[in-house]
């Protein structure tokens, strides 16, 4: 694919442009821009997360999964990446594997399930 104007500029310019395309639901274009940013700055989590979201929304689930696993390799407690990975796996019909990531995402976000009722509470 030929390069176009939106793939040029500083990383900050391209980040802004990718966000604009993402907001406009132009996920493939956003992914194209973000792919270049991720190659340039693989240590940055935000572009990789947005790239995973762009892949997810454009049904490129294998690519979304790969990006999310890369994020979690760098930051295992990134709860949003964990949640997205669970949702991505669900869309692929991998429910057992998805459930593990969804439970971990909920725990990392501080959601430990429903509060026990008065009769179920244990004394401190």
């Amino acid at each position: 694919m030929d390069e176009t104007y939106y793939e040029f500029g500083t990383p900050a310019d391209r980040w802004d442009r990718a966000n604009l395309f993402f907001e406009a639901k132009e996920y493939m274009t956003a992914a194209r821009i973000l792919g270049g940013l991720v190659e340039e700055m693989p240590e940055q989590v935000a572009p990789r997360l947005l790239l995973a979201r762009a892949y997810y929304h454009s049904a490129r689930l294998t690519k979304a999964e790969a990006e999310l696993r890369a994020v979690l390799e760098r930051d295992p407690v990134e709860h949003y990446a964990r949640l997205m990975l669970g949702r991505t796996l669900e869309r692929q019909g991998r429910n057992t594997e998805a459930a593990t990531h969804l439970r971990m995402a909920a725990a990392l976000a501080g959601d430990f399930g429903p509060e026990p009722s008065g009769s179920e509470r244990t004394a401190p």
Side-chain angles (χ1 to χ4, degrees):
M1 208 176 269
D2 294 331
E3 289 186 353
T4 54
Y5 75 94
Y6 45 77
E7 294 168 314
F8 293 100
T10 67
D13 291 338
R14 287 180 285 144
W15 169 250
D16 290 342
R17 207 170 294 126
N19 276 287
L20 289 172
F21 278 106
F22 187 89
E23 298 280 326
K25 298 182 182 188
E26 293 287 337
Y27 302 118
M28 299 293 285
T29 303
R32 213 167 135 187
I33 298 166
L34 291 162
L37 285 172
V38 166
E39 280 182 28
E40 276 180 52
M41 301 175 291
E43 71 286 350
Q44 294 290 320
V45 171
R48 198 175 289 273
L49 263 178
L50 191 58
L51 177 58
R53 289 179 64 201
Y55 285 149
Y56 179 88
H57 288 296
S58 60
R60 297 167 75 188
L61 301 177
T62 303
K63 289 184 174 226
E65 179 184 350
E67 293 302 329
L68 292 165
R69 290 189 186 280
V71 167
L72 291 170
E73 189 176 296
R74 286 172 172 72
D75 187 0
V77 296
E78 169 53 62
H79 81 278
Y80 187 69
R82 196 67 70 180
L83 173 66
M84 278 192 63
L85 180 56
R87 297 287 183 237
T88 300
L89 294 169
E90 278 182 333
R91 280 184 71 185
Q92 294 178 57
R94 295 161 58 189
N95 295 331
T96 303
E97 191 179 352
T100 302
H101 291 286
L102 294 172
R103 279 192 307 273
M104 288 178 18
L108 290 168
D111 180 9
F112 298 104
E115 185 72 27
S117 66
S119 63
E120 297 171 3
R121 291 186 184 166
T122 58

